[in-house]
Amino acid sequence: MRPITGRHELDLFSQLPYILNEELADDLADGRRRPEWMWVALRGDRLLARAAWWSRSAGDAPLILDVLDIEDSASGSDYVGIGARLLQTAMAATLPKGSRRPEYSRFIPPDWRENAVTRQAVEDRMAVLERTGARLFVERLRLEWRPESPVPEPNRRLIFRPVHDGEELVALMASVLDGTLDAHGRDDLTRMSLHEAAVRHYEDELARYASPRDWWRIAALPNGEPVGFVIPARNDCNAIIAYIAVLPSHRGNGYIDDILAEGTRTLAEQDVPRIRASTDLGNIPMANAFRRAGYINFGREINMTWS
């Protein structure tokens, strides 16, 4: 059990299939991954298990454990046990002692529970994590709008303007965290105030996007009173709806449809091949809003955490 020694071992690391394999080379080149964060369990030249962390940019600490695979066809082997031993060894060597362990993320098919083979693969990887003390945190829907879908039309109930500055957006973000259905938002509020959670989200994610900030929109009534906002952006791979919300005092009026339509139009005007978004499986109002706007559920994401 060891980390790979460099880019030349990517073919070895990629012997186990996963959707992120095609991004590994670019991530290494850009510093989002490091060889010492990419671990393998080998029997001779045979790859039995692997694990890897990712960060948003070069120089950052590991942000998320997004690769964890075991050789499902390893007959006669305790491949779940091998995976757990690899992960324990890799975490001890990679993560600072006493630090909070990065969250685990796995992209899976939308119907993973209905397919026996896929379900077994997902549950086996979850079992690896559980043996190291992790537990399911949330399951999320992965959503996508494609250019062949109609671009939502404005209905003129709301007016949209750019965000004045970061302070304005943070204040609005803090207000929408009150009563949020988002699991990550609720978890943040167990450790920090509304304002602190909003600042952290803004600084750790939204402020890092290189896409134009004049895409960001505040939704307001004709008298100028804000009712919500949407943050269209680009990450390293796709155009995305990075954040969307309605202020608590204006929920229940259907404004989410207008706000999502504005964000979708903003990105569609850039001739992007797709727009990605995600929401918690349990956030049914938001999932329904994306469905009404023409977004399809093309996958899911499993998040697991350590207490």
Side-chain angles (χ1 to χ4, degrees):
M1 294 184 180
R2 62 171 177 84
I4 65 172
T5 55
R7 186 186 181 96
H8 63 280
E9 286 200 304
L10 273 183
D11 287 344
L12 169 67
F13 189 83
S14 300
Q15 285 179 12
L16 297 179
Y18 185 43
I19 190 173
L20 294 184
N21 281 359
E22 62 191 39
E23 301 176 13
L24 297 176
D26 286 344
D27 283 345
L28 270 175
D30 294 337
R32 292 186 293 271
R33 297 188 194 274
R34 302 178 194 173
E36 61 268 29
W37 294 355
M38 303 174 70
W39 281 70
V40 292
L42 301 170
R43 181 174 290 143
D45 294 331
R46 182 179 177 187
L47 181 63
L48 299 182
R50 64 177 185 167
W53 286 267
W54 176 91
S55 66
R56 283 203 177 97
S57 58
D60 288 354
L63 177 67
I64 194 163
L65 174 69
D66 64 341
V67 177
L68 178 65
D69 285 300
I70 52 181
E71 186 185 26
D72 299 313
S73 62
S75 59
S77 297
D78 178 14
Y79 50 88
V80 171
I82 292 170
R85 285 172 50 208
L86 172 67
L87 184 55
Q88 290 279 31
T89 302
M91 288 192 297
T94 303
L95 305 177
K97 188 174 181 179
S99 65
R100 184 180 176 91
R101 293 178 178 179
E103 184 176 286
Y104 167 73
S105 166
R106 179 79 181 186
F107 295 142
I108 54 178
D111 58 348
W112 68 274
R113 288 183 175 84
E114 283 69 56
N115 182 297
V117 174
T118 302
R119 180 169 184 161
Q120 188 66 55
V122 173
E123 291 179 345
D124 284 347
R125 283 154 182 77
M126 293 176 70
V128 169
L129 273 292
E130 288 168 352
R131 290 197 188 187
T132 70
R135 293 293 180 266
L136 177 65
F137 179 70
V138 70
E139 183 172 340
R140 291 173 62 78
L141 301 175
R142 302 183 70 207
L143 305 154
E144 183 175 271
W145 180 92
R146 298 168 181 168
E148 57 266 27
S149 301
V151 178
E153 294 288 338
N155 70 10
R156 310 301 181 186
R157 286 199 305 170
L158 301 175
I159 58 174
F160 292 91
R161 62 166 175 83
V163 176
H164 291 320
D165 52 34
E167 289 185 3
E168 179 187 34
L169 185 58
V170 165
L172 292 174
M173 291 169 66
S175 67
V176 301
L177 282 170
D178 184 15
T180 181
L181 297 178
D182 180 80
H184 288 91
R186 294 199 305 270
D187 182 62
D188 284 343
L189 295 179
T190 65
R191 301 186 303 276
M192 58 191 81
S193 68
L194 292 169
H195 180 75
E196 289 169 337
V199 169
R200 178 181 175 183
H201 191 164
Y202 177 81
E203 293 181 347
D204 288 354
E205 181 180 350
L206 302 185
R208 292 174 175 247
Y209 291 124
S211 48
R213 293 195 180 184
D214 59 11
W215 291 356
W216 301 3
R217 296 285 190 271
I218 302 295
L221 297 173
N223 64 6
E225 179 185 355
V227 302
F229 60 91
V230 61
I231 308 299
R234 279 185 184 271
N235 61 18
D236 295 323
C237 301
N238 294 289
I240 61 170
I241 300 294
Y243 202 129
I244 183 170
V246 177
L247 301 182
S249 61
H250 291 285
R251 290 170 184 162
N253 296 310
Y255 291 140
I256 189 64
D257 292 332
D258 306 69
I259 299 170
L260 179 55
E262 176 71 10
T264 302
R265 283 193 300 272
T266 298
L267 293 173
E269 290 171 358
Q270 313 306 314
D271 295 323
V272 297
R274 70 189 67 85
I275 301 170
R276 292 276 174 89
S278 60
T279 192
D280 290 1
L281 181 63
N283 193 343
I284 295 174
M286 189 63 72
N288 286 339
F290 278 111
R291 176 182 51 79
R292 290 191 297 269
Y295 287 71
I296 64 167
N297 175 210
F298 74 96
R300 294 196 182 187
E301 179 184 5
I302 291 289
N303 293 152
M304 297 182 70
T305 58
W306 289 261
S307 57

